[in-house]
Amino acid sequence: MPKALKFAVALIAGVVVGGAVNMGIITAGPLLVTPPPGTDMTTAEGIKAAMPLLEPRHFLVPFLAHAFGTLAGAFVGAMMLVSHRSRVAFAIGGLYLVGGIMASLMIPAPAWFIATDLLLAYLPMAWLGLRGANKMRPVITA
């Protein structure tokens, strides 16, 4: 299998796994931190309307979803390669960072959350996913 194809497969797999982890945490979020009564947290408009009612604890679930989604995606992507592990891990982290920037432009959130999310949930988690993968054997060795 050509190296470019291996890289593409690892990148896609990492993005899919990271997205699944992210959505799983977001879906379970109301069980972890109950949203304010009468709010609709399922749409961007609902989140915008609920923003004045949200406390710092309500931002824990989105942060964890972004961080663990990126961590899982970078780990899976890096695990699939023998070489270029760092490139795929940071490509996944970079893609999710772009998504985080876009979300911060669409959904108004407190500056402290946007800064924390953009600085800690993406590239540092990609680095941690890479470190974990580097301690293990790759999945694709051919």
Side-chain angles (χ1 to χ4, degrees):
M1 183 184 307
K3 286 184 180 183
L5 182 58
K6 287 181 188 180
F7 187 88
V9 168
L11 181 69
I12 292 167
V15 168
V16 168
V17 167
V21 169
N22 183 319
M23 286 310 297
I25 293 171
I26 292 294
T27 302
L31 300 173
L32 301 171
V33 180
T34 308
T39 58
D40 175 19
M41 302 297 282
T42 60
T43 64
E45 294 78 27
I47 295 170
K48 285 179 190 178
M51 200 57 65
L53 304 172
L54 299 181
E55 301 171 9
R57 65 189 176 97
H58 293 110
F59 294 94
L60 179 64
V61 170
F63 176 78
L64 291 176
H66 300 162
F68 286 123
T70 303
L71 176 72
F75 176 79
V76 167
M79 277 298 297
M80 294 182 73
L81 298 175
V82 174
S83 61
H84 305 294
R85 286 176 146 195
S86 62
R87 286 185 184 175
V88 77
F90 284 112
I92 292 166
L95 286 171
Y96 281 119
L97 175 61
V98 169
I101 292 169
M102 290 172 57
S104 70
L105 296 174
M106 292 186 294
I107 302 170
W112 66 265
F113 173 73
I114 293 172
T116 301
D117 192 51
L118 296 179
L119 293 173
L120 300 178
Y122 302 106
L123 297 181
M125 292 298 130
W127 178 76
L128 285 176
L130 173 64
R131 288 209 50 200
N134 281 339
K135 294 179 186 280
M136 304 178 85
R137 298 184 60 170
V139 176
I140 299 174
T141 57

